[in-house]
Amino acid sequence: MKKNEKTFRGAIVAALLAAAFALLTTARAGDPAVTVVTGPDAPPLEAFAAKEMTGLLERLFEAEVTVRPEVPDDAKHLIFLGSPETNPAVAKWAGEAWPNDLGDQGHLLKSVAKEGEIVLIVGGGSPVATLWAVYEFGHHIGMRYTLHEDFPPVEAPEFRLSGFDESFSPNLAVRAWRTIDAGAAGQASWGIEEHRRLLGQLAKLKFNRVVLATHPWQPFYDFESGETPKTGGVLWEGGEFPVSGDTAGRAVFDGAEVFENPDFSGKTTDAERVAAARELGRGILSAARELGMTAAFESEGAADPEIETIALSQPRGGVLPQFSTAGLPDKLDEIREEEKRGFAVKCWIPGSLDPGVYYLSRAAFDAGITPREALASLVTPICGDGVAERLATGFAAIEEVSALIESEDPDFAVPDPAMFLKHYASAEPAPEWWGRAAELYGAAVNEMYRGNTRAREGARPFLLYHAKVFTFALHYMTAVSAAREAGIAREAKDAEAWAGQLEAAAEALHNALGIYADVARDNSDRGVIAVLNEYAYRPVLEELDQVPLE
């Protein structure tokens, strides 16, 4: 290249870089400078609400945010947090516009024009309601909250303080989440850090109560009333689940030898495990209260009769993805008609339950919303247009397979030492419904990937989790069918087919757990992998070693 050509190209590059820098500078100069006013004596929850509002404004608008206790003289974009009782600025600007019947759970987003300015009031009838108002502001401009993470909207919203005039009051006063219970794949395996993250997400969905559902044989006790601690250290039924050596999906256990609740790691004596349980329970209650939630223990047979339990997943704790959202409107109508105070969500593996939880969070404030409308409201801001329809079809397949399993064999995938080999023990032909279940899981997988091809990049974690968990279930059905064929070959004394089908079952299980491991994100997901290694994969390998091949 000649010297003058190099000089010319260099000038072009420099000009382009200068233009790009100018654009960036202009964009940054246009970022809004926002002042969030809390009041001089803001309660802790409203101070936290200001922090959450700051995060939303910075993430969605790249705003420069200042939090002040009073209105500064030079502020241009003002957001007032709180209520007339906690923030004098709200009292001054809201005036008679503040609803008298808001109640302690009611909250609002209201633009107010006064003295030539427009300000936004984000407030509630109590500090926690103000926090919910902040999350409702995020929801209004496209932020979506799930049980594991937050998703900003596909298209960046336009910053504005005008045009807001919404208020929200619950038609169900109690929106509770049950945790602990008794399964290794349930939340008994979750430590305090996972519980804290989950509670933070539930607060964004306006849940306001956490219930620690414990059993007499677990190492918990009611330290609120001072009952005697339990003397046992067992958290769940089924004993230990080794995850070293030949463990399918082993990478998710980070080199651990045994699957366990992380807060109980190294706790070997009953006394140590009781103390760990006490700290875990206290930690959960404390984290809940910091978010404005009420909290309580629930022992067996001592559930609050005024709160209806809603099982979002398989009520017996199955490891396959099973859920039903379509029946939730009737359940909520029943709760309202019986004048109960609200509901408590019960589930074992929360990962694939976001549509149901989101529906409940919205229906508790809007009785007219349908599950399909809620799904579109959840998915479209995350994924973009045209994806909600694909997911609705896929989730409908999961609802159908859930009903099928519940009607044909409710204990089909419930953890138990014999859960898998019982299918191998029989020489009867496989039930027809197994094939239908596999078809439905396959259909759900296809719809997730179809949605994935249309979705924006940031939505891929949401979609791929469901796609791979449903693929895990499809491989599990393949493994069960192969185990039954192995049982038939064993009865016929066909050693070659016997061994071949057991090998097919082992391969399908290995694939299933490896695929699940790709997207495992909490100890419930890891618990499924640990349980199925112990109750399915290893037993099949042991049976394969016993086949009398010549």
Side-chain angles (χ1 to χ4, degrees), residues 151-294:
F151 290 91
V154 173
E155 298 181 4
E158 176 187 359
F159 176 79
R160 61 182 175 83
L161 299 181
S162 62
F164 290 90
D165 188 13
E166 296 183 87
S167 62
F168 309 85
S169 294
N171 54 72
L172 293 167
V174 176
R175 305 169 297 281
W177 184 270
R178 294 173 83 255
T179 187
I180 303 297
D181 274 323
Q187 293 163 80
S189 66
W190 291 33
I192 186 57
E193 290 307 314
E194 282 194 314
H195 272 102
R196 282 185 181 278
R197 286 193 293 272
L198 176 65
L199 290 171
Q201 296 306 111
L202 289 171
K204 295 170 184 177
L205 293 162
K206 306 184 192 177
F207 278 66
N208 62 353
R209 187 174 188 181
V210 62
V211 178
L212 280 70
T214 61
H215 298 261
W217 44 266
Q218 290 176 308
F220 296 96
Y221 69 99
D222 188 351
F223 39 79
E224 293 290 309
S225 61
E227 290 183 5
T228 303
K230 306 300 180 217
T231 57
V234 179
L235 271 176
W236 55 68
E237 299 167 317
E240 288 190 341
F241 295 96
V243 291
S244 60
D246 188 12
T247 296
R250 182 182 175 186
V252 297
F253 301 108
D254 294 327
E257 294 187 356
V258 176
F259 175 71
E260 59 186 348
N261 183 310
D263 291 1
F264 287 69
S265 179
K267 310 295 193 297
T268 57
T269 68
D270 282 354
E272 289 174 329
R273 294 176 70 80
V274 166
R278 179 175 184 171
E279 289 304 308
L280 175 59
R282 279 184 166 170
I284 294 171
L285 297 182
S286 175
R289 288 165 179 160
E290 288 173 4
L291 293 166
M293 298 181 182
T294 59

Side-chain angles (χ1 to χ4, degrees), residues 27 40 97 101 113 217 231 288 292 351 407 416 437 473:
D101 58 348
W217 44 266
T231 57
S407 65
D416 180 87

